Amino acid sequence: MNPWWVVPAMLSGGVGAWLLYLASPQQLWRPAPLRAWPGAACAALSLALLWPAMGAAAAVAMWLTVLMLVATLAPFLGAWRARRREAAR
């Protein structure tokens, strides 16, 4: 496994999942949702970088794990941030 491919792939996957979350109308981070295509492009770039660094099955498994991790944490962090904003008022 080459870290020169894997580290940018993980960062791109995390950013892609975060942008896909920000494209949701129910997200609590921004008043208006973003477009979904930048998140999808970052996620696809992440998979494209992982594919040559490891086998196909390992690349897809790692890619899905990163996307699920960020997609699971983002709503909780958004709710926590919104609650702190409410408490500061």
Side-chain angles (χ1 to χ4, degrees):
M1 185 170 16
N2 187 351
W4 292 105
W5 289 91
V6 175
V7 172
M10 294 298 100
L11 291 175
S12 176
V15 169
W18 193 262
L19 289 173
L20 286 172
Y21 172 71
L22 290 177
S24 168
Q26 288 84 21
Q27 53 90 17
L28 298 174
W29 283 89
R30 297 176 41 91
L34 299 174
R35 300 253 185 230
W37 69 266
C42 284
L45 174 66
S46 174
L47 183 59
L49 289 173
L50 281 175
W51 203 280
M54 52 189 58
V60 171
M62 185 178 263
W63 179 68
L64 287 175
T65 302
V66 168
L67 293 180
M68 285 187 290
L69 175 69
V70 175
T72 301
L73 290 178
F76 291 109
L77 293 174
W80 176 71
R81 183 173 178 247
R83 188 171 182 190
R84 289 204 50 190
R85 248 188 286 153
E86 294 274 327
R89 289 185 187 182

